[in-house]
């Protein structure tokens, strides 16, 4: 059986450059490189979307997110399956079974939950539980590789732990996805990808951050986005060095430059290391970002989405077959059938 690569992007709102470089682009590059020998599942985690902002605009965003993959250069073929999570009921059903083997302790340690709930009593239970839904998304299809940004690594580890725990208790059922080290090797990147906030580079770039200059959205005017790079916070050292802890701002720019141009990070670092011309590096990164957004937006405008419904129907028939078979096996093992 072919190995499976799988990912999904939440689409409540526009995506950031962080989403693009951390997940969308790696997925597109992997799919274009490997789709002859691997199965590629690209799905819209629309059930995940309603953990925040239930505002009725989801349908529109679902289509838009699929177009994003095409605008980022995905070439479709028969090995690539597109589907919506909410159209494959087994995701929610497996979540319930996994909930019953997940531990409160491990779930309470999820950083995303802590950040998103901000310790509020009124935080919804979906925010707490969505890593289990994510595990179901992955385990139903036996996915080996799951290209995601570094902020999702903890959820990937949880997925591995739940799969191993279930297999130990009920017998070999789930394929355990590769560990994060193997994932990043497969993605061909230097480590987990975490694009930083441009003003406060100790934090990740996030769509929910208020300041406009902190983040680059894929819909930003390209020239305006270039200006944001030019005004990004760096440091007051005398020369350029890659050090994500001591110099997160400049290191972020080096990383952005490498990812956009599909160059090894080491090579880009070697080119700039020790130089004092921060402004030159900023100009180069600004030009790379401007070109990326210009190309992306012009591709997006040209996409003919008339065939998308048919593709989704085909993808969802495929996904339901696979997911229902795995769910039936799980139900039998836990005694529900
Ligand atoms: P989400 O929607 O928050 O983010 C989508 C993807 O973008 C990555 N990302 C980043 N990467 C680098 N730097 C950043 N600043 C940055 N911000 C976001 C995220 O790591 C992610 O890969 N639970 C997931 C969606 C999901 C999923 C899945 C992914 C649901 N089920 C199954 C893979 C497999 C989420 O909320 O990602």
């Amino acid at each position: 059986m072919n190995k499976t690569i799988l990912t999904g992007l939440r689409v409540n709102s526009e995506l950031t450059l962080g989403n693009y470089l951390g997940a969308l682009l790696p997925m597109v590059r992997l799919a274009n490189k490997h789709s002859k020998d691997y199965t590629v599942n690209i799905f819209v985690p629309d059930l995940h979307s309603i953990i925040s902002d239930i505002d009725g605009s989801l349908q529109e965003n679902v289509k838009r997110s699929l177009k994003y993959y095409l605008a980022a250069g995905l070439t479709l073929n028969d090995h690539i399956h597109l589907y919506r999570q909410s159209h494959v009921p087994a995701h929610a059903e497996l979540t319930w079974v996994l909930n019953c083997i997940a531990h409160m302790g491990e779930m309470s340690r999820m950083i995303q939950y802590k950040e998103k709930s901000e310790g509020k009593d009124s935080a919804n239970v979906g925010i707490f539980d969505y890593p289990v839904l994510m595990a179901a998304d992955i385990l139903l299809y036996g996915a080996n590789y799951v290209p995601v940004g570094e902020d999702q690594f903890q959820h990937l580890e949880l997925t591995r732990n739940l799969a191993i725990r279930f297999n130990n208790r009920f017998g070999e059922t789930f394929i355990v996805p590769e560990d994060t080290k193997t994932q990043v090797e497969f993605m061909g990147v230097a480590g987990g990808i975490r694009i930083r906030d441009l003003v406060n580079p100790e934090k990740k770039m996030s769509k929910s951050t208020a300041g406009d200059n902190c983040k680059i959205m894929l819909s930003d005017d390209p020239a305006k986005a270039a200006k944001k790079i030019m005004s990004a916070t760096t440091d007051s050292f005398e020369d350029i060095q890659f050090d994500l802890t001591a110099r997160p701002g400049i290191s972020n720019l080096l990383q952005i430059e490498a990812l956009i141009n599909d160059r090894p990070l080491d090579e880009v670092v070697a080119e700039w290391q020790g130089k004092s011309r921060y402004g030159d590096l900023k100009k180069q990164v600004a030009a790379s970002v401007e070109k990326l957004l210009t190309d992306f937006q012009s591709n997006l405008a040209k996409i003919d989405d008339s065939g998308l419904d048919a593709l989704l129907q085909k993808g969802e028939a495929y996904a339901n077959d696979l997911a229902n078979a795995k769910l039936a096996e799980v139900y039998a093992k836990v005694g529900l059938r």
Side-chain angles (χ1 to χ4, degrees), residues 8 10 18-19 22-23 48 130 134 137 148-149 151-152 193 195 205:
R10 263 181 327 127
N19 296 128
H48 283 266
Y130 90 98
M134 179 163 164
D137 300 336
V148 285
D151 62 337
Q152 297 294 319
I193 304 172
I195 301 302
M205 184 182 287

Side-chain angles (χ1 to χ4, degrees), residues 6-12 15-24 43-45 48 51 85 91 112 116 130-131 133-138 146-153 155-156 192-197 203-207 259:
L6 173 148
T7 206
L9 301 160
R10 263 181 327 127
V11 288
N12 305 61
L15 298 187
T16 66
L17 184 68
N19 296 128
Y20 188 93
L21 295 179
L24 182 62
F43 77 103
V44 183
H48 283 266
I51 61 172
Q85 189 184 37
H91 289 242
Q112 294 272 307
K116 285 192 203 305
Y130 90 98
L133 176 58
M134 179 163 164
D137 300 336
I138 296 169
V146 186
V148 285
E150 193 191 37
D151 62 337
Q152 297 294 319
F153 280 6
H155 298 162
L156 211 51
I193 304 172
R194 179 183 167 91
I195 301 302
R196 311 301 181 107
D197 183 297
K203 298 198 303 192
K204 74 166 180 182
M205 184 182 287
S206 162
K207 45 193 153 197
L259 289 167

